[in-house]
């Protein structure tokens, strides 16, 4: 799908050749002249288009309008969340129409609104087809976003580019999140990374079992040992700045299927554990977006990926493994495997002398109990990093919520047989998991995002959400130094966000 940004007042919109014209109408709509404006005014005056957000009025071939079909949609007070709701309702209502082209007119843009619109169009028109050949793929090819004046269009350009890159990144994360475990093995995820590495400024290395063991990643390797699928350690680099510029490192949990291992999970909804690589998918999606935007920053992506299976070779409760950090770990529960693969990746991250490390993981059911499916869990001992991530989440409509890291929460992780146990008690499970990770992330500013509740939806709408690509991309673009944002834009002729990091911090 291709998004285009255009100057389009209502008169120009009426002349535009497109299958469907969607006009977003806020409560503050000011009528102008012309057939389209009059149509909106009359609809507003009747009860057919009151100001309730997402209220729809579909008009077929109205006079004086070139589009086949016009959809008037109320956006309430015009806030981004209501705009998202309105666009979602409008695009969803077009399922049977299956338009090839779409134009969306808005009264004025804000960064949040542009994000809301592109994300809503991409999400609502997404169709999963990889293992469902009978599904009708979306035929939507062209989506025009129209702003009333040339000045507005010009001012919105870099936010628009960001929004398009985010939609592409979220799309990739959703697609790989959704693929079943036999169609998204560790080797297949490594191939996705290698394909990303064909893009400018992206490089990729893939390590196999022998190299991972040689590095001393005994904790990661222990999780993988019960499966026939060989583990992979994926290292992605995005280099948009000088080599001397410290990178941000993203670490994504890539358990392609989590049975729980010998501490096996109950059967109900176990299929959803194919989504246990959504952290990894969010790192891949973020790299897709970075490659598209080419910002002047350095980013490293680390993905430890394997299956967590029971079997004759599998890790057993009580086994003690040695992590790459040298710390020994007593594995009291083989289902707490995410932290076992992440801890070695966090140790590996040290070599990049990172400015910050953020891990992203579908880590605990306890996080779902705490925060439900609305906000991701955020943990960080650094107020600066935490505040920047919180702000990025709000701006991208991909919110998170900070949880505490008091040392008392680590009490339960004490072990008589190793330096640390991999589980504490049941209480505060999301926090004890974060406390475990923190032991391996002492050498740099670190944050942990628990996306167990936000990475996918269950029930009839079962599917990956592509979160938190929006949050991550927003955060990363906020780390572009203002001075370098300019140079990179000139060098690459690509519009970057010309923003100082302080905007987000
Ligand atoms: N991948 C799961 C976490 C999970 C469970 C995410 C359900 C979303 C829904 C993780 O590997 C896991 O099994 N965690 C255990 C930890 C426990 C054994 C301490 C959990 O949350 O039950
Ligand atoms: Mn598990
Ligand atoms: Zn897991």
């Amino acid at each position: 799908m291709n998004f285009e940004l255009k100057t389009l007042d209502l008169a120009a919109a009426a002349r535009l050749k497109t299958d469907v014209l969607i006009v977003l109408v806020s409560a503050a709509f000011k009528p102008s002249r012309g057939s389209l404006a009059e149509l909106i005014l009359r609809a507003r005056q009747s009860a057919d288009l009151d100001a309730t957000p997402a209220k729809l009025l579909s008009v077929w071939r109205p006079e004086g309008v070139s589009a086949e079909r016009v959809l008037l949609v109320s956006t309430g007070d015009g806030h981004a969340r209501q705009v998202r709701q309105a666009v979602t309702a409008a695009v969803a209502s077009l399922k049977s129409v299956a338009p090839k082209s779409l134009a969306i007119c808005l009264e004025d843009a804000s960064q949040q609104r542009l994000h809301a619109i592109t994300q809503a169009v991409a999400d609502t028109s997404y169709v999963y087809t990889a293992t469902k050949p009978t599904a009708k793929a979306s035929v939507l090819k062209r989506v025009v976003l129209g702003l009333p004046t040339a000045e507005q269009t010009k001012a919105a350009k870099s936010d628009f580019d960001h929004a398009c890159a985010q939609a592409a990144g979220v799309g990739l994360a959703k697609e790989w999140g959704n693929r079943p475990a036999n169609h998204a093995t560790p080797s297949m995820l490594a191939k996705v990374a290698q394909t990303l590495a064909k893009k400018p400024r992206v490089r990729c290395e893939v390590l196999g079992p022998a190299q991972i063991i040689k590095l001393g990643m005994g904790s990661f390797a222990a999780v993988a040992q019960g499966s026939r699928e060989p583990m992979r350690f994926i290292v992605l680099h995005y280099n948009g700045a000088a080599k001397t510029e410290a990178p941000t490192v993203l670490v994504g949990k890539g358990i392609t299927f989590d049975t729980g291992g010998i501490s096996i999970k109950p059967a109900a909804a176990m299929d959803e554990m194919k989504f246990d690589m959504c952290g990894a998918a969010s790192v891949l999606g973020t790299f897709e977006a970075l490659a598209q935007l080419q910002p002047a920053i350095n980013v490293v992506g680390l993905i430890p990926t394997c299956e967590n299976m029971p079997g004759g070779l599998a890790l057993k409760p009580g086994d003690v493994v040695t992590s790459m950090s040298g710390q020994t770990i007593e594995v009291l529960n083989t289902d707490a495997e995410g932290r076992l693969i992440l801890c070695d990746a966090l140790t590996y991250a040290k070599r990049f002398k990172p400015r910050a490390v953020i891990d992203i993981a579908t880590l605990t059911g306890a996080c779902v109990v705490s925060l439900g499916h609305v906000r991701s869990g955020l943990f960080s001992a650094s107020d600066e990093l935490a505040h920047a991530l919180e702000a990025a989440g709000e701006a991208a409509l991909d919110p998170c919520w900070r949880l505490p890291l008091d040392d008392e929460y680590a009490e339960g992780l004490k072990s008589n047989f190793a330096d640390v146990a991999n589980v504490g008690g049941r209480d505060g499970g999301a926090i004890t998991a974060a406390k475990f990770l923190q032991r391996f992330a002492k050498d740099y500013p670190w944050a942990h995002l628990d996306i167990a509740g936000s990475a996918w939806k269950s029930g009839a709408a079962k599917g990956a959400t592509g979160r938190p690509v929006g949050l991550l991309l927003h955060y990363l673009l906020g780390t572009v130094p203002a001075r370098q944002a300019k140079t990179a834009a000139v060098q690459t002729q690509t519009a970057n966000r010309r923003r100082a990091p302080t905007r987000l911090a």
Side-chain angles (χ1 to χ4, degrees):
M1 189 185 351
N2 237 328
F3 287 104
E4 267 172 62
L5 185 66
K6 265 199 170 169
T7 306
L8 218 54
D9 59 15
L10 287 181
R15 290 191 301 269
L16 189 75
K17 288 220 158 38
T18 177
D19 292 345
V20 178
L21 179 66
I22 298 175
V23 186
L24 304 181
V25 189
S26 77
F29 171 75
K30 284 197 198 67
S32 52
R33 277 145 58 101
S35 44
L36 203 48
E38 268 165 42
L39 181 71
I40 297 168
L41 191 62
R42 273 189 286 136
R44 263 272 183 268
Q45 285 161 351
S46 82
D48 289 307
L49 191 72
D50 60 41
T52 318
K55 177 87 181 192
L56 281 183
L57 180 61
S58 175
V59 192
W60 191 66
R61 294 200 171 190
E63 223 178 277
V65 179
S66 304
E68 261 301 274
R69 186 183 299 264
V70 174
L71 269 181
L72 306 180
V73 200
S74 285
T75 58
D77 60 11
H79 278 123
R81 275 195 176 73
Q82 305 196 335
V83 168
R84 179 170 64 183
Q85 204 187 335
V87 175
T88 302
V91 177
S93 79
L94 295 168
K95 277 244 156 73
S96 59
V97 176
K100 293 191 182 65
S101 59
L102 201 67
I104 304 176
C105 292
L106 48 160
E107 291 156 54
D108 60 279
S110 68
Q111 188 192 37
Q112 259 197 328
R113 265 181 232 138
L114 290 170
H115 276 67
I117 294 169
T118 50
Q119 204 54 66
V121 173
D123 279 338
T124 317
S125 55
Y126 171 83
V127 182
Y128 175 82
T129 58
T131 52
K132 191 175 177 183
T134 52
K136 245 178 83 189
S138 169
V139 293
L140 185 59
K141 289 280 159 328
R142 180 173 181 236
V143 181
V144 172
L145 294 198
L147 283 167
T149 69
E151 292 76 61
Q152 282 172 296
T153 312
K154 197 165 162 233
K157 172 77 174 103
S158 69
D159 287 338
F160 171 76
D161 288 341
H162 172 180
C164 297
Q166 178 183 311
V170 167
L172 185 90
K174 271 168 75 163
E175 180 58 30
W176 283 95
N178 282 336
R179 294 196 186 195
N182 61 334
H183 292 264
T185 62
S187 320
M188 292 178 197
L189 293 189
K191 282 230 174 71
V192 178
Q194 279 160 339
T195 307
L196 283 171
K198 294 194 176 126
K199 297 178 188 261
R201 293 172 160 179
V202 183
R203 273 188 304 125
C204 167
E205 272 168 87
V206 176
L207 312 187
Q211 292 155 297
I212 294 166
I213 289 163
K214 195 163 167 220
L215 278 167
M217 294 185 168
S219 183
F220 172 25
V223 174
Q225 77 193 28
S227 168
R228 284 171 177 257
E229 280 297 334
M231 62 183 159
R232 294 286 182 262
F233 190 71
I234 305 169
V235 185
L236 273 160
H237 296 266
Y238 169 78
N239 283 109
K243 279 207 174 70
T244 49
E245 210 66 41
T248 304
V249 178
L250 304 179
V251 180
K253 172 178 171 183
I255 294 290
T256 56
F257 197 81
D258 182 11
T259 63
I262 295 297
S263 316
I264 200 159
K265 287 182 180 295
M270 205 210 269
D271 67 285
E272 295 191 8
M273 283 299 115
K274 72 171 183 178
F275 293 117
D276 213 16
M277 37 58 75
C278 282
S282 77
V283 174
L284 296 171
T286 303
F287 269 75
E288 165 82 31
L290 291 172
Q292 193 164 320
L293 280 176
Q294 300 281 306
I297 48 172
N298 292 332
V299 184
V300 174
L302 301 178
I303 299 176
T305 174
C306 66
E307 286 182 340
N308 185 23
M309 296 287 282
L313 294 172
L315 184 63
K316 300 170 293 296
D319 281 1
V320 173
V321 300
T322 304
S323 66
M324 189 181 179
S325 72
Q327 297 177 72
T328 56
I329 304 165
E330 185 186 14
V331 181
L332 289 174
N333 189 321
T334 64
D335 197 11
E337 85 298 339
R339 60 198 83 179
L340 295 175
I341 72 169
L342 291 170
C343 68
D344 281 339
L346 289 172
T347 302
Y348 188 87
K350 265 199 276 190
R351 68 184 58 201
F352 302 107
K353 301 191 171 57
R355 52 172 295 287
V357 177
I358 302 161
D359 76 71
I360 309 103
T362 48
L363 203 63
T364 63
C367 190
V368 190
V369 175
S370 314
L371 295 172
H373 304 281
V374 180
R375 285 175 184 265
S376 308
L378 165 67
F379 301 83
S380 183
S382 158
D383 287 340
E384 195 187 335
L385 184 54
H387 292 157
L389 289 166
E390 283 172 329
E394 299 305 320
L397 301 183
D398 185 359
C400 60
W401 197 258
R402 192 176 181 185
L403 291 155
L405 278 173
D406 303 84
D407 283 336
E408 287 83 348
Y409 285 109
E411 276 302 310
L413 293 173
K414 288 192 173 142
S415 159
N416 290 348
F417 304 104
D419 295 328
V420 65
N422 78 328
V423 290
R426 220 172 64 93
D427 298 343
I431 310 172
T432 47
K435 288 307 284 181
F436 177 92
L437 293 177
Q438 193 181 28
R439 298 173 64 100
F440 301 86
K442 295 257 183 267
D443 297 324
Y444 41 70
W446 161 80
H448 158 58
L449 286 164
D450 193 331
I451 57 166
S454 55
W456 76 90
K457 291 181 180 152
S458 309
K462 195 190 284 181
T465 60
R467 289 176 67 185
V469 170
L471 182 160
L472 293 171
L473 183 64
H474 219 99
Y475 167 74
L476 289 171
L477 294 179
T479 67
V480 179
R483 147 184 66 84
Q484 271 159 20
K486 250 191 190 131
T487 344
V490 172
Q491 273 170 4
T492 63
Q493 296 296 308
T494 309
N496 279 308
R497 282 163 41 91
R498 289 173 200 89
R499 286 232 164 99
T502 45
R503 280 289 292 263
L504 287 179

